[in-house]
């Protein structure tokens, strides 16, 4: 069985554990875990990435290039959130 991808595992995992503990008392626990939000953070944060050592380029470099292609395309729209 593949691992479950949970980027917010600290909050989600704690909430699930808490829900199991409180269920016998009739207490229900829920957490809202928002997805990615389209901002300029990724582009700003990656502006000063130092050159990678050659040994890291194949793996880390590929991951950085892939992420750079996705930054700014997240589905969450900050303008719609403000409403």
């Amino acid at each position: 069985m593949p691992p479950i991808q949970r980027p917010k595992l600290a909050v989600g995992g704690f909430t699930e554990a808490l829900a199991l503990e409180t269920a016998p008392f009739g207490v229900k626990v829920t957490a809202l875990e928002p997805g990615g939000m389209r901002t300029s953070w990724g582009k700003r944060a990656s502006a000063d990435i130092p050159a990678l050592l050659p040994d890291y380029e194949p793996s880390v470099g590929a991951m950085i290039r892939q992420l750079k292609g996705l930054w700014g395309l997240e589905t969450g729209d900050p303008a719609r959130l403000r409403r």
Side-chain angles (χ1 to χ4, degrees):
M1 178 183 226
I4 297 172
Q5 297 294 322
R6 299 286 308 262
K8 312 262 185 314
L9 185 58
V11 173
F14 174 77
T15 303
E16 290 173 14
L18 184 61
L20 290 172
E21 292 291 327
T22 60
F25 304 105
V27 177
K28 295 182 180 181
V29 179
T30 303
L32 298 177
E33 299 180 39
M37 186 61 59
R38 187 171 46 250
T39 68
S40 62
W41 178 86
K43 291 179 182 178
R44 286 181 295 138
S46 67
D48 295 325
I49 294 176
L52 295 172
L53 295 172
D55 289 345
Y56 290 101
E57 179 55 41
S59 58
V60 178
M63 180 181 64
I64 291 171
R65 286 188 295 280
Q66 182 180 14
L67 287 172
K68 282 185 175 183
L70 299 174
W71 287 327
L73 302 176
E74 294 85 356
T75 57
D77 184 357
R80 290 183 61 202
L81 184 64
R82 281 184 238 138
R83 292 183 198 173

